[in-house]
Amino acid sequence: MSNNSQTAKTVLDVKLEGQQLFSPNSLSTSAAGTVNGNQTPLGGLSGVVYDVANNVYYSLSDARSDSNGLARFYTFTANLTGISTPQVTFTNATPLKDINGHFFSSNSLNPEGFALTENATVFISSEGEVNINAGSVIYPFIKEFNLSTGKELRSLLIPQKFLPVVDDTDKSGAINTGDTQISGVRDNLAFESLTITPDQHTLYTGVENALIQDGQIATLDTGSRSRILQYNLVTGQTEKEYLYITEPVAEPPKPATPFALNGLVDLLAIDNRGTLLALERSFSAGVSGTGYTIKLYEVSLQGATDISNLNSIPVKISAIQPAHKRLLLNLNQNNLNILIDNIEGLAFGPTLPDGRQSIVLVSDDNFGALGPRPTQILTLSAEVNPIGVTITQTEDSTNVTEGGATDSYTVVLTSQPTDNVTININPGTQTTTNPNQLIFTTQNWNVAQNITVAAVNDALVEGNHSNTIQHTAISNDANYNGIAISSVNVGISEVNPIGATITQTEDSTNVTEGGATDSYTVVLTSQPTDNVTININPGTQTTTNPNQLIFTTQNWNVAQNITVAAVNDALVEGNHSNTIQHTAISNDANYNGIAISSVNVGITDNDIPLAKNADNDIFTIKSNNDKARLQVTVTGQNSSLVNELGFFIVDDAQGRIGGIAPGASAYTQAALNRAKVIFSVIANLPNGFNSTNLTQQLELNSGDSLRFYLVRNNSTDAVNAQTTPTTDVLFSDPTTLKITDFGTEGFSLAWQDTATNTNNFQNLVVKIESTNQPLPLGVNLQTQQQGELIDLRGVTELVKADFVVNREAAFNNFVGFYQVVNENGGIDTNGDSQPDILPGEAGYTQAAVRGRIAGIELTVNNQGTATYIGSLTPGSIFAPFIIVDGRPDAVLDTNFSNDPEVYFPFLGANTDKVDHLRLLGSNIFGFEDLVNGGDRDFNDVIVQVNLSKNIV
C-alpha cells in the first residue's frame, strides 16, 4: 500500500480465498513455541501486521502474562503464491517488556490491538480490566514498543472519558461486588482495534462496544454505540472521536440466556483520508458451528461528526453523523466450506500476481477457554482502487475565444462506484459548458464523457483573461459523495486592449519652482468591470492635484486632469527633473496592478546659491544638500584700525532675531549671541605678510539667511567680555556698508569704519561667494568666539603642519601650540581625556607651556619671515599661545619673579583678561604682545598654518 498518497481509496470485490489451521501445540518444538526459555503454546492471536520491507508478519497474542504465557507477539511468514493454501510458518516469539525492561506482571495488561510503524516499532493497545467482583480495575493503554526487543518506548494519553470509573455504591471504601461502574470502557469490550495510516501521521483505535455512559452493549435488536479514537502520531495527542454503530448480535444464543455479543474487533487504514476496513465479530453461545459470525466493512470518517467534546453520547443522536460503513463481506457466507472461527485481526499483505490486494486475518483461540479450537489464518483478496475523477484537457489546456473557437475536455471516474455519481458543472460567468451535468453509473463509470466549453461573448472589454470551471460530485456512494474534483482553468482570448492613456501638454510637462504649473490627462482604454483607482505618486520634487483618480464603469472614457507644480525648496539644484508614478487598484483583475506610463517633469530651479534681499542687507545661501559653504576673501583694506568681520543668522527676510527687529534696543545683543567670527584685517603689515586674498570658508545650513557686522578696531570676544562698548559693533546702513552685486560671481562688501573717514568705503572690502570647496583642515571652531584653534577631531591620519611666521615687534616673542580637551580650553593632565585645569585656574599657564607640542617652537626676527615644519596628532584640538619676550624655560623655572606674560585665545587665561589673539584667515593667527591690548595692531607675531594629511 502506498504510504504518501492523499488520494481516497475504496475496497471492492472482496473474496475469501483460503485458510491454514494450527493446533495449540503445533509450535512446541520451534523458536516461536519458546518464550523466555519456556515452552508456550500458540494461541490468542488478536492482531496482525505485515512488514512489507522484510516480507514478514507479526501477530499479537492476547496472553496476559498469566498461565497462557508472557505477553508476546509472534513473527511468521506466509507464501501467498497459492493463496487458497497459504504456507504460513511461525518463526519467532518476542515477549513484551515494560518501560524499565521487565516482563509485564501477571494480569497487568490485556493486549488486543496491534499496529506497525515504519520506524521498527509497534503500537499495542490493552483493554485493561474492570472486574468489580474481583475488586480489580486496570486502565486501558496504548503503548509503543521496540520491534526487535519488545521493550516499551512511550505511552499515548487516554482521554479521561475512556478510563473506567467505579462508584463505591456500598460505601465500603473498596471495589467489590456491591459497587457500580458509572463511566469508561467496559470489561473486555475496550480497545480491541489499532491501525496506522499509510503516511504514518494518524493512529486509529476503537472500543469494541459503547462506553458505560454512551449506551448499551450490542443485543439481538440493536447495535452498540462504539467510538473510534483518532491520534496525531506527530504530536502524540488525540485529535478527534467518531461515533461507530456496530451491528446487532447476528444470531440468538441457544438456549436464549447464554452469552452473546457483537463488537468492533479491528480496524485497518486504507488511505490517509479516513477510509478504514472494520472487522466486526459476533458470537452466540450454543449456535451450530463455531458460534461466530465475522463481517468486514468499509468505513468512511469523512463527513462524520467529531464527538470528542461529548463526555457521553445523548440518547437522541439526530445531530450526530456517525461513521458511514458499507458491508464488503460476510465471511460466513462462503462457498469454500470454511468454518469461520474467532477472527480478531486483519492486515494487508503483498500485492498478488494478478494485481489484487491480499488481506490476512487471524483468529483468537481463547487458549481453549471455550473449548479446544485451532488458530485460523484466513486469506482474502480484493480490489483497492483510488476514488477520484480524472479530467483530461486537449493538449493539457483549455482555450477559447469570445465569439470564436471553442474547446473541450473529458471526465471519467477512477473506480467503480456503488451507486450513481452525478457531477454538476459550474461554468462560471465567463464560459458556458455543454452539458452542465454528467451521470456515471456502476456500468459506465469507466467511459469518458465529453464537455464542450465556449466563451461568453459579452460587451465588456476585459483583455485576455481566464475563467475557472468547478465540478461537484453527488452520490449515495459515500466515497464519491462530495469528493474533490480538479477545476479547469480556461484561457479566454479577447482583442480589446486593457490600459490607461496619458496625454501631456505638447507632449511634455514642465514647471518652475515657485512659478508656472503644468497638467496632463489620464483616461482608460476600455470599460472595466469595477471601479479602477489610480493613485499618483508625485515623487519628492513635484506635487499633483489630485493625487488619486477614480474611473467607474460609466466614466472610464472621460479624461481626468492632473495639475503638476514644483516643490519650492531651498536647494540649489539647477534645472532638474522628477518622475510621477501611477498605480492602478481594482477588483477588476484585468486592471488591478496594470502597468501605467510614468510622466517625466522638467523643473526650472528658482534657487540661487547666494542671493541678497532687494530691500535690505539680508543674504540667503543655498546648496544642493543640507549644508552650504560661503567663502569670504579680502580684496582691499585702507584703514588704521584692526577691524573684525563677522556674521549672524536671522530668522526672516526682515532680519529679525527671535522677533526683535533691526534697530531695536536689544538687537545688538541678540546678534552678538548668534555671532560667528570670519576674520580680522590688520592695518600695519609686517614685511612678507600680505592680507589681500586672505580667505575664510564658512559652513551654514542650506537656506540660512544672514547679516554681516563689523567690530571697529576690536573683536567680538572683547565686546562680549565688555572690554569694549557695543557701539563699536557696526551693522549695515548707507553710512557703513556698500554692497555690489557681481551676479553669479557673488557680492562685494565695502565697509566704512568711521563716519568722518573719506576713503569712500575702502576701509575693508571683501568678496563673498558660494563655494563647493571643502573646508580646510582644522577650521571647524574658528567661527566661534574665542575660537582661534586648530580642530583635528574627526581626522584619523597624522597631519603635517607647515608654519610661516612674520613679526613686527620689538619683543623677541615665542609662539607654540598645546593640546586642549575641548573648545573651552580645558587641559588634561592625567591622561583620562577629561579637563583637569581650566583657563584662569592656578597652574593653567604652566600646564599649557609644559604640554606644548614638541618641535613646534616658533620665533622670527623682527620684519623677518621664518618657516617651520611639524606634525599634529589626529583627533585633537590645539590652541596657540605667545610668550612675550621670553621662552618656555622662563615660565617653567622656579623663579616666578621673572615670568614673562603668556597670552592665549581664552580671555580667562590671560592675566589682563584682554583679547591678544585675532583670526586673520583660515588657520592664520595674529598676536598682540602688549599688556591690556597695547596698540591692538595684532601684528607682533603672525602665524600661518598650512595643514595636510597623508604624511609618509
Side-chain angles (χ1 to χ4, degrees):
M1 299 289 289
S2 172
N3 67 354
N4 57 9
S5 172
Q6 293 303 310
T7 302
K9 296 182 179 180
T10 187
V11 174
L12 302 171
D13 190 26
V14 183
K15 298 178 180 178
L16 177 61
E17 299 284 3
Q19 69 168 339
Q20 184 169 346
L21 301 177
F22 292 86
S23 66
N25 296 315
S26 59
L27 304 182
S28 59
T29 60
S30 71
T34 303
V35 181
N36 194 33
N38 297 316
Q39 292 296 313
T40 305
L42 172 67
L45 302 189
S46 59
V48 63
V49 294
Y50 175 59
D51 183 349
V52 64
N54 297 302
N55 192 28
V56 297
Y57 297 81
Y58 304 101
S59 185
L60 178 69
S61 171
D62 64 5
R64 304 178 64 177
S65 289
D66 53 9
S67 59
N68 296 315
L70 291 173
R72 60 192 179 273
F73 62 86
Y74 293 98
T75 305
F76 69 85
T77 61
N79 186 345
L80 302 186
T81 303
I83 192 170
S84 61
T85 56
Q87 300 175 34
V88 177
T89 303
F90 284 84
T91 61
N92 193 31
T94 304
L96 300 180
K97 300 175 183 178
D98 63 20
I99 197 72
N100 297 312
H102 302 139
F103 296 126
F104 283 89
S105 59
S106 178
N107 293 310
S108 62
L109 76 169
N110 184 6
E112 294 288 352
F114 201 40
L116 177 68
T117 76
E118 293 180 348
N119 300 320
T121 65
V122 289
F123 280 90
I124 295 175
S125 64
S126 167
E127 290 193 292
E129 181 177 79
V130 188
N131 190 341
I132 293 177
N133 293 335
S136 174
V137 173
I138 301 172
Y139 283 168
F141 68 64
I142 301 173
K143 296 178 182 289
E144 186 175 12
F145 294 83
N146 184 285
L147 183 62
S148 60
T149 66
K151 184 177 181 296
E152 177 187 341
L153 301 175
R154 65 163 171 161
S155 293
L156 300 183
L157 182 67
I158 305 298
Q160 192 68 32
K161 67 173 77 72
F162 289 86
L163 302 180
V165 176
V166 176
D167 180 64
D168 189 9
T169 307
D170 61 3
K171 310 300 181 185
S172 65
I175 298 174
N176 52 43
T177 305
D179 294 334
T180 306
Q181 183 180 358
I182 59 175
S183 65
V185 295
R186 288 180 158 90
D187 186 47
N188 212 33
L189 294 174
F191 296 136
E192 280 270 350
S193 56
L194 210 60
T195 188
I196 295 174
T197 54
D199 63 8
Q200 302 287 292
H201 289 172
T202 305
L203 178 145
Y204 295 102
T205 186
V207 289
E208 188 173 352
N209 266 204
L211 303 180
I212 290 288
Q213 67 270 29
D214 285 345
Q216 299 299 314
I217 63 174
T219 67
L220 286 167
D221 300 317
T222 63
S224 185
R225 297 175 172 184
S226 299
R227 293 190 188 223
I228 293 176
L229 182 57
Q230 174 180 318
Y231 280 89
N232 182 324
L233 284 184
V234 177
T235 64
Q237 303 297 312
T238 57
E239 288 185 322
K240 295 181 180 180
E241 297 173 23
Y242 306 97
L243 173 61
Y244 177 92
I245 302 176
T246 73
E247 298 302 301
V249 175
E251 296 184 69
K254 298 178 180 179
T257 54
F259 179 65
L261 58 81
N262 183 60
L264 174 64
V265 294
D266 208 0
L267 294 169
L268 180 60
I270 301 173
D271 56 29
N272 301 315
R273 297 168 57 89
T275 311
L276 311 168
L277 293 182
L279 192 65
E280 289 193 24
R281 173 197 58 195
S282 179
F283 176 72
S284 299
V287 174
S288 61
T290 63
Y292 292 100
T293 300
I294 306 299
K295 295 180 180 179
L296 186 63
Y297 294 88
E298 182 178 278
V299 174
S300 175
L301 301 179
Q302 295 185 46
T305 305
D306 178 9
I307 60 171
S308 58
N309 62 331
L310 299 178
N311 286 325
S312 63
I313 298 174
V315 175
K316 295 183 178 181
I317 59 171
S318 57
I320 298 175
Q321 179 65 46
H324 180 272
K325 67 180 188 177
R326 173 172 63 91
L327 179 64
L328 297 176
L329 181 66
N330 183 338
L331 273 71
N332 294 68
Q333 298 174 356
N334 66 80
N335 56 7
L336 300 179
N337 297 317
I338 293 177
L339 197 62
I340 303 301
D341 219 310
N342 182 24
I343 301 298
E344 288 195 3
L346 79 162
F348 286 121
T351 301
L352 299 172
D354 61 1
R356 289 171 62 83
Q357 176 66 53
S358 66
I359 304 174
V360 174
L361 291 80
V362 297
S363 74
D364 179 1
D365 67 352
N366 290 311
F367 294 104
L370 300 179
R373 296 297 306 161
T375 292
Q376 184 177 43
I377 310 293
L378 295 178
T379 52
L380 284 66
S381 69
E383 294 287 344
V384 179
N385 295 331
I387 299 171
V389 177
T390 298
I391 291 178
T392 303
Q393 301 181 66
T394 307
E395 296 182 355
D396 296 326
S397 65
T398 301
N399 299 283
V400 296
T401 301
E402 286 192 15
T406 63
D407 206 340
S408 64
Y409 62 93
T410 62
V411 180
V412 67
L413 304 189
T414 61
S415 63
Q416 184 178 26
T418 60
D419 205 336
N420 287 359
V421 177
T422 299
I423 296 180
N424 292 314
I425 303 161
N426 180 355
T429 59
Q430 297 290 306
T431 57
T432 62
T433 54
N434 183 24
N436 286 325
Q437 186 181 85
L438 306 175
I439 298 176
F440 291 93
T441 68
T442 56
Q443 284 75 43
N444 77 347
W445 63 272
N446 57 351
V447 178
Q449 299 189 44
N450 191 75
I451 298 172
T452 300
V453 183
V456 173
N457 191 15
D458 54 35
L460 298 177
V461 180
E462 303 155 295
N464 293 339
H465 52 292
S466 64
N467 181 74
T468 300
I469 299 174
Q470 306 284 354
H471 309 86
T472 306
I474 300 173
S475 178
N476 289 326
D477 182 336
N479 289 312
Y480 271 101
N481 187 51
I483 191 172
I485 306 175
S486 299
S487 57
V488 171
N489 190 62
V490 182
I492 305 173
S493 298
E494 185 169 61
V495 295
N496 295 314
I498 304 294
T501 298
I502 291 178
T503 304
Q504 302 181 64
T505 307
E506 297 181 355
D507 297 327
S508 65
T509 302
N510 300 284
V511 295
T512 300
E513 288 189 14
T517 63
D518 205 340
S519 63
Y520 62 92
T521 62
V522 181
V523 66
L524 302 188
T525 58
S526 59
Q527 185 179 24
T529 60
D530 205 338
N531 287 359
V532 177
T533 299
I534 296 180
N535 292 315
I536 303 162
N537 180 354
T540 59
Q541 297 290 307
T542 58
T543 62
T544 54
N545 185 21
N547 286 324
Q548 186 181 83
L549 306 176
I550 298 177
F551 292 95
T552 67
T553 55
Q554 284 74 43
N555 76 347
W556 63 272
N557 56 352
V558 178
Q560 299 189 44
N561 191 75
I562 298 170
T563 300
V564 183
V567 172
N568 191 15
D569 55 33
L571 299 177
V572 179
E573 303 153 296
N575 293 340
H576 52 293
S577 64
N578 181 73
T579 301
I580 300 174
Q581 305 284 352
H582 309 86
T583 306
I585 300 174
S586 179
N587 289 327
D588 182 338
N590 292 307
Y591 270 99
N592 187 51
I594 191 173
I596 304 176
S597 298
S598 58
V599 171
N600 190 64
V601 183
I603 305 171
T604 301
D605 194 4
N606 68 344
D607 294 303
I608 301 173
L610 183 63
K612 174 187 170 295
N613 193 317
D615 299 328
N616 52 35
D617 63 349
I618 310 300
F619 290 88
T620 301
I621 188 166
K622 299 178 181 179
S623 74
N624 59 358
N625 54 51
D626 292 341
K627 296 295 182 181
R629 294 193 182 99
L630 182 71
Q631 180 169 291
V632 183
T633 305
V634 178
T635 60
Q637 189 271 343
N638 184 9
S639 176
S640 61
L641 306 180
V642 178
N643 299 314
E644 184 178 82
L645 182 65
F647 73 96
F648 55 93
I649 304 300
V650 298
D651 298 336
D652 54 31
Q654 287 71 44
R656 283 186 283 259
I657 302 174
I660 304 172
S665 59
Y667 191 80
T668 298
Q669 188 58 53
L672 289 171
N673 290 340
R674 294 186 179 183
K676 301 290 185 181
V677 175
I678 300 175
F679 49 51
S680 294
V681 179
I682 60 176
N684 185 10
L685 304 180
N687 290 341
F689 180 77
N690 184 3
S691 64
T692 303
N693 294 324
L694 292 179
T695 64
Q696 178 69 293
Q697 290 186 18
L698 315 172
E699 187 170 78
L700 302 93
N701 293 320
S702 182
D704 275 351
S705 295
L706 63 151
R707 293 187 73 193
F708 294 90
Y709 70 92
L710 191 77
V711 182
R712 184 170 48 203
N713 203 35
N714 225 309
S715 66
T716 305
D717 292 345
V719 176
N720 285 328
Q722 299 182 357
T723 60
T724 193
T726 58
T727 55
D728 284 341
V729 180
L730 304 182
F731 297 109
S732 173
D733 65 39
T735 67
T736 59
L737 180 63
K738 181 179 179 180
I739 302 173
T740 302
D741 188 346
F742 292 157
T744 59
E745 300 299 320
F747 295 84
S748 172
L749 306 183
W751 289 88
Q752 186 84 1
D753 60 15
T754 63
T756 59
N757 194 294
T758 59
N759 286 330
N760 195 21
F761 296 94
Q762 293 299 306
N763 296 142
L764 174 60
V765 183
V766 298
K767 180 183 179 182
I768 61 172
E769 58 187 324
S770 67
T771 181
N772 292 323
Q773 294 298 316
L775 293 179
L777 277 178
V779 302
N780 294 337
L781 297 173
Q782 291 177 10
T783 60
Q784 295 188 14
Q785 298 168 32
Q786 303 183 54
E788 295 90 350
L789 307 169
I790 294 177
D791 182 8
L792 297 182
R793 291 176 299 181
V795 178
T796 59
E797 305 169 57
L798 191 66
V799 175
K800 178 185 177 185
D802 292 293
F803 299 91
V804 179
V805 186
N806 300 99
R807 167 182 163 190
E808 200 287 316
F811 291 151
N812 187 16
N813 301 311
F814 176 96
V815 173
F817 286 81
Y818 66 103
Q819 185 174 333
V820 296
V821 176
N822 53 37
E823 56 264 42
N824 297 321
I827 301 174
D828 173 22
T829 62
N830 60 9
D832 63 356
S833 299
Q834 300 298 317
D836 300 308
I837 302 179
L838 301 178
E841 293 183 345
Y844 185 86
T845 297
Q846 288 74 21
V849 175
R850 186 179 298 110
R852 69 190 183 279
I853 306 303
I856 302 177
E857 298 185 352
L858 310 178
T859 61
V860 64
N861 295 327
N862 191 29
Q863 297 299 342
T865 300
T867 60
Y868 297 85
I869 298 175
S871 60
L872 300 175
T873 57
S876 304
I877 303 173
F878 299 94
F881 66 89
I882 183 171
I883 301 176
V884 178
D885 203 23
R887 294 294 183 269
D889 292 346
V891 178
L892 300 176
D893 63 19
T894 58
N895 183 5
F896 300 115
S897 62
N898 68 344
D899 282 0
E901 290 291 340
V902 182
Y903 297 124
F904 303 91
F906 311 106
L907 272 60
N910 299 336
T911 55
D912 56 5
K913 309 304 180 188
V914 171
D915 197 356
H916 285 265
L917 186 58
R918 294 279 191 93
L919 187 70
L920 305 184
S922 297
N923 294 325
I924 304 175
F925 309 104
F927 295 88
E928 171 58 54
D929 60 7
L930 296 179
V931 68
N932 295 321
D935 55 6
R936 292 192 180 94
D937 56 6
F938 291 93
N939 64 354
D940 298 324
V941 178
I942 297 175
V943 177
Q944 302 179 65
V945 187
N946 296 310
L947 301 175
S948 58
K949 294 187 290 185
N950 300 317
I951 297 177
V952 179

